[in-house]
Amino acid sequence: MKFRGLERLLLDEALDFLSDLKLRMSVEDFMKKLLQAALMLLPEFDRGSVIMKDNDGYYRYVAWVGFGEDLKNVKFPPGKAMIPKGDSPVVIDRVHNWNEINLKDDSLKSLESAGSKEIKKTIAIGIKVEGKIIGGFFLDTTKNVEITEEDLKVVKMFARIASIFATMKIYQERERGYQREIIMAMIKAMEARDPYTVGHSERVARYAVSIAKEMNLDTEDVDRIFWGSVVHDIGKLSIPEYILLKPTKLSKEEYEVIKRHPVAGEEMIKGYPWLDNIRPIVRNHHERWDGLGYPDGLKGEEIPFEVRIVSVADTFDAMTSDRAYRKGLPLSDAIKEIQEQTGKQFDPEIAKVAVKILPEVYNSIYIIRASS
Ligand SMILES: [Fe+2]
Ligand SMILES: [Fe+2]
């Protein structure tokens, strides 16, 4: 493909735009950016949209540029969306005529009010994963323009990017599913050894995630906090049962063995690159703000932020749950304890949020427990 002068400039601009795309973006954000870049490169086109197949087999809009919000109410029944089957883009005149034949009233009305009647020409191409069509990429124009071979090539290139992204997203989700199952199985194995800790990891995850969300952390951090919480005590698998289940107070030596679980846990997850970013949570969840925790005696902001969040959540669940050697504290006492430990065991800022948010989360978990 040859680009000269203005086209070269546009291409540079579009490539700049594309270099900003990230795999962790949502499908919606990614496709919108892609449409914007395509429209930048082909200024004779003034609109664009992407539809994707949902689990129910219907196609729905995931991104659009230049159309009204009503597009989100449109659904195409299987086989009724104008997506070419082959690998090459197809030019459609007055795409709305096709939709009039194929769509039901409410979807058709929404399409009309979003502006589909004004479209004069459309370049359409399929988005494919493993050779199967899972979506459509459309660029539209409301002007009377001639569509060139060059235009078609550009659209084909964009549809290819969309297909690669969709494929990677699907692989990513599949892989995540497997990872989730593996981790959950390991956690269940760990918790099964000690009836008093059943559900501990998941509750810690719920507490920690609600603190993180209240503090407006971004999705990636919340995700890390969730998995870190689920896995944080995995090192307990290495603690002998007679210590883990001892109904009386632990001796000093036995307590030292218990204290090894964060480092043991970190050892266990080493070598899994996808768990690298939660290693600090596993290793350092027993550190304290005042530096008196273990295993590294980290102090204040030396302890990573997400670790400080998990550590409040962990202590809160430990306090409110029954253990082999004691009953759990009532909610109000546990909250009081967090307040008392503010600036000692806990980061003051996080402790404040925890005191505000945890009672509600605790009660919702309690209701679930009581009714099951
Ligand atoms: Fe722990
Ligand atoms: Fe724990």
Side-chain angles (χ1 to χ4, degrees):
M1 204 185 308
K2 279 190 192 135
F3 289 96
R4 289 201 201 94
L6 177 65
E7 282 164 341
R8 178 77 243 175
L9 259 176
L10 288 170
L11 178 66
D12 283 349
E13 216 172 311
L15 286 178
D16 254 12
F17 208 71
L18 285 175
S19 65
D20 213 30
L21 293 171
K22 293 176 187 69
L23 187 59
R24 64 164 189 273
M25 275 183 168
S26 66
V27 174
E28 289 80 3
D29 290 347
F30 187 94
M31 296 303 174
K32 181 150 192 166
K33 281 246 170 203
L34 209 53
L35 286 170
Q36 285 167 335
L39 291 172
M40 210 182 269
L41 209 53
L42 302 176
E44 64 274 30
F45 288 81
D46 45 11
R47 292 179 187 182
S49 62
V50 172
I51 57 175
M52 300 281 264
K53 198 193 246 174
D54 260 340
N55 293 335
D56 60 4
Y58 282 80
Y59 286 87
R60 291 182 177 81
Y61 284 93
V62 295
W64 57 87
V65 174
F67 289 103
E69 288 296 297
D70 282 328
L71 279 197
K72 48 170 186 273
N73 306 322
V74 178
K75 56 177 186 177
F76 297 90
K80 301 292 184 188
M82 187 54 224
I83 307 173
K85 292 209 167 48
D87 286 329
S88 299
V90 167
V91 179
I92 306 163
D93 283 316
R94 297 273 174 195
V95 70
H96 194 74
N97 295 345
W98 162 278
N99 290 328
E100 267 178 340
I101 303 166
N102 285 289
L103 283 187
K104 291 233 163 43
D105 280 359
D106 37 352
S107 280
L108 192 62
K109 262 186 213 137
S110 299
L111 258 184
E112 272 179 30
S113 59
S116 102
K117 262 188 160 169
E118 299 138 33
I119 298 170
K120 297 210 165 86
K121 275 183 182 152
T122 300
I123 304 180
I125 182 167
I127 297 175
K128 290 182 175 179
V129 170
E130 292 167 346
K132 277 192 204 126
I133 291 192
I134 55 121
F137 187 92
F138 307 94
L139 281 197
D140 313 279
T141 179
T142 56
K143 302 168 218 163
N144 276 317
V145 288
E146 276 308 310
I147 290 175
T148 65
E149 273 304 306
E150 215 62 34
D151 296 340
L152 296 177
K153 276 185 197 162
V154 173
V155 172
K156 192 172 174 178
M157 173 182 92
F158 276 91
R160 194 172 295 156
I161 298 174
S163 296
I164 292 169
F165 179 78
T167 307
M168 286 172 95
K169 273 278 167 193
I170 285 174
Y171 284 153
Q172 206 179 40
E173 256 152 49
R174 264 187 223 159
E175 195 192 347
R176 279 196 158 199
Y178 297 142
Q179 289 173 3
R180 207 188 155 100
E181 279 171 32
I182 293 169
I183 293 181
M184 287 305 185
M186 285 169 81
I187 300 304
K188 291 255 152 65
M190 177 197 80
E191 291 183 346
R193 301 171 69 214
D194 176 0
Y196 288 98
T197 60
V198 170
H200 169 67
S201 311
E202 281 187 68
R203 287 195 301 275
V204 172
R206 283 188 65 174
Y207 294 136
V209 163
S210 34
I211 297 172
K213 284 190 175 161
E214 181 72 16
M215 299 187 92
N216 290 323
L217 299 199
D218 63 35
T219 338
E220 220 178 307
D221 289 332
V222 174
D223 209 43
R224 192 164 64 221
I225 285 171
F226 174 81
W227 283 109
S229 303
V230 168
V231 178
H232 76 282
D233 273 337
I234 189 116
K236 284 196 173 165
L237 270 172
S238 70
I239 298 175
E241 252 168 52
Y242 78 94
I243 299 181
L244 207 59
L245 300 177
K246 197 175 170 191
T248 51
K249 211 171 176 311
L250 298 173
S251 70
K252 199 169 174 306
E253 292 72 34
E254 288 164 344
Y255 186 54
E256 287 305 315
V257 175
I258 293 261
K259 277 169 71 178
R260 281 188 219 144
H261 78 273
V263 175
E266 195 201 13
E267 281 301 317
M268 290 171 75
I269 63 168
K270 254 186 202 164
Y272 296 96
W274 48 277
L275 291 174
D276 267 355
N277 61 1
I278 60 165
R279 267 164 65 177
I281 297 181
V282 175
R283 182 181 176 93
N284 297 114
H285 68 276
H286 286 288
E287 304 289 352
R288 295 170 49 110
W289 183 252
D290 57 15
L292 299 175
Y294 61 91
D296 300 316
L298 301 180
K299 196 176 175 176
E301 289 180 2
E302 284 169 8
I303 311 164
F305 193 67
E306 72 271 18
V307 180
R308 284 179 258 153
I309 291 182
V310 175
S311 133
V312 180
D314 184 30
T315 311
F316 177 75
D317 187 64
M319 286 193 291
T320 50
S321 308
D322 295 341
R323 286 290 148 99
Y325 48 91
R326 59 146 175 83
K327 286 287 272 173
L329 288 181
L331 172 65
S332 55
D333 290 3
I335 292 293
K336 227 180 273 163
E337 185 60 21
I338 293 182
Q339 281 166 328
E340 258 163 42
Q341 287 299 327
T342 294
K344 296 179 201 161
Q345 187 178 348
F346 304 127
D347 173 339
E349 199 194 333
I350 295 170
K352 207 164 124 193
V353 178
V355 165
K356 181 179 158 209
I357 195 98
L358 289 184
E360 196 188 315
V361 189
Y362 172 87
N363 285 327
S364 69
I365 290 176
Y366 181 73
I367 290 165
I368 294 166
R369 249 192 264 154
S371 62
S372 65

